[in-house]
Amino acid sequence: MLKNDTFLRALLREPVSHTPLWIMRQAGRYLPEYNATRSRAGNFLNLCKSPDLATEVTLQPLARYSLDAAILFSDILTIPDAMGLGLYFAEGEGPRFERPIRDEWEVRNLTAPDPEVSLRYVLDAVSQIRRTLAGSVPLIGFSGSPFTLACYMVEGGGSEDFRHIKGMLYRRPDLLHRILEINTQAVIQYLNAQIEAGAQAVMVFDTWGGVLSSPAYREFSLHYLSMIAAGLTRHAEGRKVPSIVFTKGGGLWLEAIADAGFDAVGLDWTVEISDARRRVGAQVALQGNMDPMVLFGNSDSIRSEVQRILSGFGSGSGHVFNLGHGITRFTDPEQVAVLVDAVHELSRPFHEENL
Ligand code: CP3
């Protein structure tokens, strides 16, 4: 039995006593204890690949703040790493692949990894985190979207203009579709394996879908997101396993995204949450959407932004508070405490009919 299931209930638009919150990248470099564990591990990848250390850092933000969910500590790039692309992190430069996928021959040789074999360390971390959480709050599993994974696989790392993947999209759409089909199978198997290992909700991060034109978004990202929604395990341990999809920059396409088949839609901070609720709130729960930079204000400005977002969503369930993207490494941990307390305190009046 879960002691605090507000997060799962809000995703299913069931009544709650307060608006639940968690923070994208809640276990990360803004926390000194994270940096200490990371230096013990030697580097970020060792941290991801050790179930003991991944469990330790997953729990760090929960020891500090009364967050309503834990998120598996891992990375979206574990899938392409398991496909054999050779993931590494160049210090200060973000993720890179030794063997990016560029030509026909490389695409033909690509296969979906068996998560039970090559992503065993993630599944072991999921089971260990679940045991350690001991029913306090739910655990979120996650994956990158097929398109976002393809961005890193084809570019060979982060990119400013996405010229390799967009070049492929316009020149050889058949090759990109082949990569996306394989990624889709990989994501479905990976998320279902995480659910089997104990993940109680899952989220798909489509960080780069928003760089596409509207028709390209539908064809190369949303289409595959819908296939994932259709392939996910929906029940485990006698309850529903809610799913969240987040396309950064997807505000223009909310109706289409809400139709993809997920229980909840993540919003970045460019979207007005009252508009989002009016547009799709009868169909899906909403997660978001405070600008991470609000945490660089002061207690008063943080509380007033929280109030603005909570009032924007309005009364009733169906809102999970979060940032509109990951928390930055330069954030003061004290400001996060202000945020967490503000959401819990200021959201109660919006749920009063349930008390
Ligand atoms: O939310 C959480 O707390 C769970 C952990 C998590 C990480 N990455 C840890 C991480 C999650 C959910 C991710 C997802 C992820 N990874 C995404 C999608 C979400 C998003 O932020 O858009 C993407 C695009 C990646 C790829 C990735 N991993 C990048 C671009 C980087 C470098 C980022 C940077 O700030 O330098 C990473 C590394 C990474 N993943 C870190 C963490 C805590 C920092 C690594 C370190 O300790 O050096």
Side-chain angles (χ1 to χ4, degrees), residues 116-274:
E116 304 289 344
V117 179
S118 44
L119 293 160
R120 189 73 250 165
Y121 64 92
V122 178
L123 307 179
D124 289 343
V126 170
S127 332
Q128 195 172 330
I129 296 163
R130 266 300 295 279
R131 279 198 302 278
T132 317
L133 283 170
S136 51
V137 290
L139 174 63
I140 308 166
F142 70 88
S143 170
S145 72
F147 178 73
T148 292
L149 294 177
C151 285
Y152 288 97
M153 293 162 69
V154 175
E155 297 295 331
S159 176
E160 281 179 5
D161 52 13
F162 299 92
R163 64 181 182 275
H164 296 291
I165 190 164
K166 286 193 174 186
M168 185 187 278
L169 185 156
Y170 292 113
R171 197 175 55 246
R172 287 294 305 272
D174 61 310
L175 285 188
L176 184 54
H177 276 303
R178 180 73 196 128
I179 297 174
L180 294 168
E181 277 161 21
I182 293 163
N183 286 356
T184 300
Q185 289 320 309
V187 169
I188 293 171
Q189 288 167 19
Y190 184 46
L191 288 175
N192 286 343
Q194 289 182 37
I195 292 168
E196 203 179 306
Q200 290 149 297
V202 290
M203 171 153 168
V204 181
F205 287 89
D206 186 26
T207 305
W208 299 120
V211 305
L212 293 170
S213 70
S214 292
Y217 175 69
R218 284 171 193 267
E219 181 178 345
F220 295 93
S221 188
L222 190 60
H223 170 73
Y224 295 98
L225 289 169
S226 311
M227 288 175 66
I228 292 169
L232 285 177
T233 301
R234 292 301 184 150
H235 288 87
E237 304 176 52
R239 65 187 294 169
K240 282 192 181 161
V241 181
S243 58
I244 311 162
V245 65
F246 171 55
T247 293
K248 182 156 182 283
L252 290 172
W253 311 314
L254 277 187
E255 289 79 4
I257 296 171
D259 270 340
F262 294 86
D263 297 294
V265 171
L267 305 173
D268 67 35
W269 63 90
T270 64
V271 177
E272 179 57 49
I273 197 165
S274 55

Side-chain angles (χ1 to χ4, degrees), residues 20 26 28 34 37 51 53 75 87 117 151 155 164 188 193 196 198 239-240 256 279 305 311-312 317:
Q26 63 192 25
Y34 169 84
T37 310
L53 296 178
D75 198 83
L87 175 64
V117 179
C151 285
E155 297 295 331
H164 296 291
I188 293 171
E196 203 179 306
R239 65 187 294 169
K240 282 192 181 161
R279 288 165 64 189
E305 270 301 293
S311 317
S317 188

Side-chain angles (χ1 to χ4, degrees), residues 22-29 34 38 44 71-77 89 94-95 142 148 152 205 207-208 325:
W22 67 280
I23 296 168
M24 286 194 260
R25 295 262 176 105
Q26 63 192 25
R29 286 170 294 183
Y34 169 84
R38 182 180 184 271
F44 171 70
I71 179 160
L72 161 71
F73 186 82
S74 189
D75 198 83
I76 63 165
L77 301 178
F89 282 79
F142 70 88
T148 292
Y152 288 97
F205 287 89
T207 305
W208 299 120
H325 199 200

